[in-house]
Amino acid sequence: EVQLVESGGGLVRPGGSLRVSCAASGFTFSNYWMHWVRQAPGKGLVWVARIKSDGSTTNYADSVRGRFSISRDNAKDTLYLQMNSLRAEDTAVYYCATGGMQHEFWGKGTLVTVSS
Amino acid sequence: DIQMTQSPSSLSASVGDRVTITCRASQRINNYLNWYQQKPGKAPKLLIYAVSSLQSGVPSRFSGSGSGTDFTLTISTLQPEDFATYYCQETYTPPLTFGGGTKVEIK
């Protein structure tokens, strides 16, 4: 059974940093592109970033480029999102999802709240 | 960046109704168009990928169509468990934009 389990969310002050993780199991993690998608409270889905299966290629939404960094450890079957210079508008549930041309599997998400 | 305009933003329908949701891309996206269903407090679920391919396990009352810039999700006979929010997404080129969502509510 495919499982994606996010962790690391929490409350952080504006300007602060946080790293969220996504532990994968039940599939060959190293074969898949992986993505982060976020959803602010009561709002729609917003794609954040993606990383190629071998980590050689990354892409970002304009709103996070230069502040967020996506990475992966294929030996640990884990995806990461390092978030720096956090703003109130980054408050959201962060989901990891498998990718290629569609997000077949999703985690349950981890809530990141940016507030003073 | 590609913009995805989804309509309507909400609709009210009854069990048994036929429901159609549209998604328009700001430029041609070939067949890189997916549809997701999301229920409150849950992660999204893939329904349709590549415009019209039904994801495994998804009921056949869901179908997708379209080409170029205009796409449609159809629920042929609305069931109680289909009341949810639906999103389209293009995966033609990053950023991989989602539509604004369509909330399907009970009439």
Side-chain angles (χ1 to χ4, degrees), chain A residues 36-54:
Chain A
W36 288 101
V37 175
R38 69 184 182 184
Q39 187 169 36
K43 302 296 184 182
L45 300 172
V46 177
W47 179 84
V48 173
R50 71 175 183 180
I51 185 167
K52 193 176 179 180
S53 54
D54 63 359

Side-chain angles (χ1 to χ4, degrees), chain B residues 8 10 14 17 24-26 28 35 37 39 45 47 50 57 64 70 74 76 82 95 97 104:
Chain B
S10 66
S14 301
D17 284 353
R24 173 166 288 177
S26 59
R28 295 181 67 88
W35 291 97
Q37 177 194 65
K39 296 181 178 179
K45 172 187 174 183
L47 298 177
D70 293 316
T74 299
S76 60
D82 300 337
T97 313
V104 177

Side-chain angles (χ1 to χ4, degrees), chain B residues 8-79:
Chain B
S9 57
S10 66
L11 64 91
S12 295
S14 301
V15 172
D17 284 353
R18 181 181 183 88
V19 168
T20 299
I21 299 168
T22 64
C23 188
R24 173 166 288 177
S26 59
Q27 66 183 71
R28 295 181 67 88
I29 57 172
N30 294 339
N31 285 347
Y32 296 102
L33 191 283
N34 307 315
W35 291 97
Y36 301 87
Q37 177 194 65
Q38 187 180 34
K39 296 181 178 179
K42 300 294 186 182
K45 172 187 174 183
L46 178 66
L47 298 177
I48 302 283
Y49 63 94
V51 177
S52 58
S53 295
L54 192 67
Q55 175 66 4
S56 177
V58 173
S60 59
R61 63 181 179 272
F62 291 94
S63 65
S65 63
S67 64
T69 60
D70 293 316
F71 304 92
T72 299
L73 173 70
T74 299
I75 310 172
S76 60
T77 308
L78 197 66
Q79 297 300 303

